[in-house]
Amino acid sequence: MNILIGGAAGQGMETIAQLLGKALVRTGYGVLSAKDYMSRVRGGHNFTRLRIGRKTPWTADGPINLLVALNEEAYQIHSADLADNGRIIFDPEEFTPENKNDNQVAVQLEKLAKDAGNKIMANTVAVGATLALLGLQTTETEELLTETFGKELAGKNILALKAGHQEAGKQCETCLTLPDKQERGKQLFLDGNSTLGMAALASGCRFLSAYPMTPSTGIMTYLAGKQDSHDVVVEQAEDEIAAINMALGASFTGARAMTCTSGGGFALMVEGLSLAGMTETPLVIALAMRPGPATGLPTRTEQGDLEFALHGGHGEFPRAILSATHAEDAFYRLNKAFDLAEKYQTPVIFLSDQDFGDTARSIPPFDFSKLCYRRHLVSEDNLKKPYQRYRITENGISPRALPGQFAGETVLADSDEHDENGNIIEDAETRTRMVRKRMKKTALLAAEMDEPKITGEKSGDILLIGWGSTYGALQEARQLLSKTGQQVTHLHFADLWPLRCAQIKSLFPRFKQRICVENNATGQFAALLRRETGLKVDREILKFNGRPFMASEIVREVQKDV
């Protein structure tokens, strides 16, 4: 079941999607919500798709069963994609569809909202109308409105909700059939950015500085909303240069810290990134990718910054790069990023994108007992005096202490090359020793990286290779292709650097065709794979129009060459 809510920015599509999504999840359905929006505050054409299933869907794919057209433009653009038995909810005072037919459900959204107290509640009227067509009562949504608003405002919204439900019910009650429900217990309905914000909070992050930049801003706003309740500091810096340096300062003095940005902001941060490498200061950088170069498409998605994350910054220093594949994994993987950053005293870049950040799914509650919180600081028991911040050790990891942690011991750090005490040096011998000390950590980081997840058999016709947020589309594509009788396996990377290669080296020769699927124009991951393993994929399926992959288009592309 697919519902598309379309209109102009400011008409409340997201509110409709959130209310419907949460109500459906509480009722027992699996729900996915995906946003498509323009880079403007008002106007333009935006839409949100809700896909409802017995299990939680991976992508917003398939024909539209219900179109909620809040303006004529939404009707003009999307009515052709309506399924044969689909329905359209529209406001007859807003526009009149060209061809009158039985699939149209006219509801005076704005008038009913005015009658309930304010025309701005037209979106709540639309929620009520939608529930009527789905054969659902308003009980769950009324509870959500009561939880969201104060008593007076909630009361008005409930009136608007019931008015929409009654009006649509007169014309088309239960004219759409929902899929069967599945008993699944309590579920969360979270978007990717909220998931990362929650993961940061649960991982002990107590300082975030950032400059707002779509599509990463949701992480910042989530944490900002928790400042008072969870003793976390969120600072909106004047720019990204200040943001990363504030986070470095917080980390140096003891706070578990993070910054978040997108490609343009990361470009400004790279000097700070190198500073983290030289001073061996732990830092997590959430890099939410969007199409570039320059401003590009600010509210769209792409996987175009993998090579930038890999090579950004001057000089050579160890780093780790992890990525968000889906919410259930990303929650724990960001926790891993914080642990790696402090264990190896190095920057860790966590790659996300607009598709992951703005897509909400129903998922089981997280298991907080799986999270780790280890600061990896030197203790009184293993402190060697005098304390040396950059002591040469066998594995390259120096003892990390916080300024003021030990009375009489000084913690020195500098962006210049330095000796074991942190004092500036110029001699070649010390420089060589310190570079070798830092770079030793790359091999240790490599051992911490997870092998890619494999779904399917270990030999067959087609090996689909992906990374990051394409996980869901590839999972559905594999299922669809397998129904055609082909033996298809999906191999997906979440930890990207240092790259673990054992699994793919083993699988690669066992498949007739190896295909890498990426949301970029140049096949950045396929190139990384070739560089690190010598393995060259047979085909690349690349998409770089700012929109995420749908499973059906991956299937079409794969079948072109079968």
Side-chain angles (χ1 to χ4, degrees):
M1 163 73 70
N2 283 291
I3 301 173
L4 189 145
I5 307 132
Q11 286 193 291
M13 281 80 70
E14 184 60 13
T15 302
I16 297 174
Q18 282 292 311
L19 282 172
L20 282 174
K22 289 182 178 179
L24 288 161
V25 171
R26 289 188 180 187
T27 310
Y29 295 100
V31 180
L32 175 140
S33 165
K35 292 197 298 186
D36 186 302
Y37 57 106
M38 301 178 72
S39 178
R40 60 183 67 179
V41 177
R42 291 276 177 183
H45 175 63
N46 296 355
F47 62 92
T48 299
R49 294 185 68 129
L50 278 177
R51 190 174 176 196
I52 307 155
R54 187 166 182 269
K55 295 181 179 179
T56 302
W58 284 113
T59 62
D61 209 350
I64 302 167
N65 303 102
L66 173 59
L67 170 61
V68 181
L70 298 179
N71 62 16
E72 187 169 11
E73 186 178 19
Y75 171 79
Q76 296 290 353
I77 292 174
H78 299 289
S79 57
D81 298 324
L82 204 64
D84 290 341
N85 60 348
R87 295 290 189 276
I88 301 172
I89 294 174
F90 70 100
D91 188 338
E93 295 184 359
E94 176 76 23
F95 69 95
T96 303
E98 294 169 355
N99 303 311
K100 182 73 176 173
N101 58 53
D102 293 338
N103 69 5
Q104 296 163 4
V105 181
V107 180
Q108 293 176 302
L109 302 176
E110 192 165 305
K111 179 182 182 302
L112 293 175
K114 282 181 182 174
D115 293 345
N118 194 321
K119 68 176 184 179
I120 200 171
M121 297 184 299
N123 53 358
T124 308
V125 178
V127 173
T130 301
L131 292 172
L133 266 62
L134 299 177
L136 297 174
Q137 297 304 310
T138 59
T139 311
E140 300 286 352
T141 313
E142 289 178 42
E143 291 177 4
L144 286 165
L145 291 168
T146 304
E147 293 168 13
T148 305
F149 300 116
K151 185 176 180 181
E152 183 181 358
L153 192 53
K156 291 179 179 177
N157 272 277
I158 289 171
L159 285 176
L161 178 77
K162 289 181 173 178
H165 192 271
Q166 185 176 21
E167 181 62 26
K170 292 176 185 172
Q171 305 174 56
C172 197
E173 186 172 8
T174 322
C175 53
L176 294 171
T177 304
L178 283 164
D180 293 336
K181 291 189 286 187
Q182 181 182 37
E183 181 53 48
R184 64 184 70 210
K186 190 174 182 180
Q187 296 277 295
L188 303 174
F189 186 59
L190 278 181
D191 63 38
N193 278 337
S194 297
T195 300
L196 296 183
M198 185 183 292
L201 200 62
S203 298
C205 176
R206 290 298 175 266
F207 184 90
L208 178 137
S209 52
Y211 183 80
M213 192 168 189
T214 304
S216 68
T217 309
I219 303 170
M220 184 181 186
T221 53
Y222 178 90
L223 286 169
K226 306 296 180 185
Q227 287 187 97
D228 293 337
S229 57
H230 289 75
D231 197 25
V232 58
V233 175
V234 176
E235 176 70 19
Q236 179 176 325
E238 60 267 37
D239 57 35
E240 288 84 353
I241 299 172
I244 190 170
N245 287 320
M246 285 181 184
L248 282 172
S251 177
F252 178 72
T253 52
R256 183 165 270 193
M258 175 179 176
T259 184
C260 57
T261 187
S262 186
F266 188 68
L268 293 174
M269 288 184 176
V270 292
E271 186 176 6
L273 177 68
S274 292
L275 180 60
M278 175 57 94
T279 59
E280 301 184 58
T281 305
L283 185 65
V284 172
I285 304 166
L287 171 51
M289 297 175 286
R290 70 189 203 191
T295 308
L297 295 173
T299 60
R300 307 293 178 181
T301 198
E302 197 163 273
Q303 293 180 308
D305 292 336
L306 172 59
E307 290 185 343
F308 188 24
L310 192 57
H311 300 293
H314 53 290
E316 298 169 302
F317 55 92
R319 72 186 73 188
I321 303 175
L322 315 182
S323 68
T325 55
H326 55 95
E328 298 95 314
D329 180 83
F331 180 79
Y332 304 104
R333 200 159 298 277
L334 187 63
N335 175 253
K336 176 180 178 178
F338 279 105
D339 188 60
L340 291 177
E342 297 208 341
K343 185 175 182 180
Y344 296 101
Q345 302 166 27
T346 192
V348 177
I349 301 167
F350 193 88
L351 288 178
S352 169
D353 54 36
Q354 182 271 330
D355 183 38
F356 173 81
D358 287 333
T359 298
R361 297 178 69 240
S362 53
I363 55 174
F366 299 117
D367 182 355
F368 284 67
S369 69
K370 292 182 178 178
L371 301 178
C372 68
Y373 183 74
R374 298 170 295 198
R375 298 306 310 271
H376 304 287
L377 296 171
V378 66
S379 67
E380 191 74 55
D381 295 335
N382 56 19
L383 174 66
K384 291 183 180 179
K385 295 183 179 181
Y387 172 72
Q388 292 179 299
R389 173 65 187 92
Y390 300 110
R391 184 188 298 278
I392 301 289
T393 63
E394 188 173 344
N395 62 9
I397 303 172
S398 302
R400 179 176 173 238
L402 304 177
Q405 184 177 348
F406 300 108
E409 303 295 333
T410 303
V411 179
L412 282 180
D414 203 287
S415 64
D416 284 48
E417 189 58 274
H418 41 255
D419 62 15
E420 292 180 88
N421 293 313
N423 294 315
I424 296 173
I425 60 91
E426 289 280 349
D427 67 282
E429 181 183 349
T430 304
R431 161 67 179 177
T432 303
R433 292 176 66 210
M434 296 308 291
V435 170
R436 285 178 174 159
K437 182 194 89 71
R438 290 191 291 267
M439 295 309 292
K440 276 184 178 179
K441 294 189 282 189
T442 297
L444 299 175
L445 282 166
E448 299 269 10
M449 297 295 106
D450 291 340
E451 287 282 1
K453 182 179 178 181
I454 180 169
T455 307
E457 301 300 323
K458 294 189 176 179
S459 63
D461 299 317
I462 298 170
L463 179 64
L464 293 173
I465 304 164
W467 64 278
S469 68
T470 57
Y471 179 86
L474 282 164
Q475 282 284 301
E476 285 196 3
R478 190 198 76 82
Q479 293 168 4
L480 293 170
L481 288 165
S482 296
K483 289 178 182 176
T484 67
Q486 298 174 90
Q487 292 178 307
V488 183
T489 293
H490 172 203
L491 189 69
H492 209 85
F493 288 79
D495 291 348
L496 305 174
W497 186 259
L499 191 66
R500 288 296 293 267
C501 304
Q503 182 102 285
I504 196 164
K505 282 182 177 177
S506 169
L507 290 175
F508 215 77
R510 300 181 188 176
F511 287 85
K512 297 175 183 173
Q513 189 172 187
R514 289 66 54 110
I515 303 173
C516 192
V517 179
E518 298 187 64
N519 247 151
N520 57 51
T522 56
Q524 296 184 21
F525 185 77
L528 175 64
L529 192 63
R530 186 164 62 249
R531 190 189 81 181
E532 294 299 309
T533 66
L535 301 173
K536 184 178 180 182
V537 297
D538 300 294
R539 285 182 63 197
E540 294 175 38
I541 297 177
L542 306 176
K543 184 176 182 179
F544 42 91
N545 63 0
R547 275 69 178 175
F549 275 109
M550 293 295 118
S552 56
E553 59 188 346
I554 295 174
V555 170
R556 283 196 300 274
E557 290 297 319
V558 169
Q559 290 180 330
K560 282 181 181 177
D561 201 32
V562 174

